[in-house]
Amino acid sequence: MTKEKFDIEYGLGNVSLNSLWNQLTTPNGLAAWFAEKVTITNRTLYTFRWDKDMQQARVVLLKPDERIRYRWEDETDPVAYFEFSIHKLELSGTTALQITDFAEPSEKQDAIDLWDHQVDTLRRSLGI
């Protein structure tokens, strides 16, 4: 089955862009909200660990302080990836995090619920 692309946007108030970028791209930052332990090999291969599970993702697009796109190493869908993008909301001037991901139609809501939970943890790790 083909996966569907979806985008979710989260307002993060006046969070420091540097702090947010570090949470999205560094081992310590990602371990604070996304996985229990994160390591990087050769600057582009990230290894994520949760309990006894492990997954690897490669950085396939990087625009510093703006967006980072990862692709799971074991992904079978040729177009699937997950991406974190930072931008300012025009009306309020606050910072927003946009997450782009892919999921099978029957699993899309579960994926959104998981991101909602993860971003709640991200907010706490950023002190917002």
Side-chain angles (χ1 to χ4, degrees):
M1 183 173 280
T2 304
K3 292 183 176 182
E4 288 183 4
K5 179 180 176 181
F6 64 93
D7 295 293
I8 318 166
E9 185 173 85
Y10 300 95
L12 299 177
N14 292 318
V15 67
S16 157
L17 292 178
N18 189 49
S19 295
L20 178 55
W21 184 250
N22 284 335
Q23 296 291 85
L24 304 175
T25 60
T26 67
N28 286 341
L30 288 161
W33 71 281
F34 186 73
E36 291 175 7
K37 184 175 181 182
V38 180
T39 56
I40 302 174
T41 307
N42 296 329
R43 297 176 47 174
T44 61
L45 182 63
Y46 284 60
T47 302
F48 299 95
R49 288 184 169 78
W50 301 268
D51 290 325
K52 295 178 182 167
D53 293 325
M54 181 203 63
Q55 263 191 293
Q56 291 184 310
R58 189 166 302 278
V59 174
V60 294
L61 175 69
L62 176 67
K63 292 184 179 181
D65 300 322
E66 183 181 326
R67 75 179 51 216
I68 187 165
R69 181 179 295 173
Y70 298 93
R71 179 168 167 75
W72 294 116
E73 288 286 280
D74 61 355
E75 179 59 66
T76 57
D77 187 324
V79 299
Y81 59 85
F82 66 101
E83 179 177 282
F84 303 126
S85 176
I86 303 170
H87 60 273
K88 290 281 186 182
L89 296 174
E90 285 185 35
L91 212 48
S92 64
T94 60
T95 301
L97 171 64
Q98 180 173 319
I99 297 174
T100 302
D101 199 359
F102 289 76
E104 292 182 15
S106 64
E107 297 175 354
K108 184 177 173 182
Q109 189 58 53
D110 289 340
I112 291 169
D113 292 344
L114 179 60
W115 281 120
D116 288 347
H117 174 75
Q118 295 299 102
V119 171
D120 283 344
T121 305
L122 172 63
R123 283 186 173 109
R124 285 192 300 277
S125 74
L126 290 166
I128 55 174

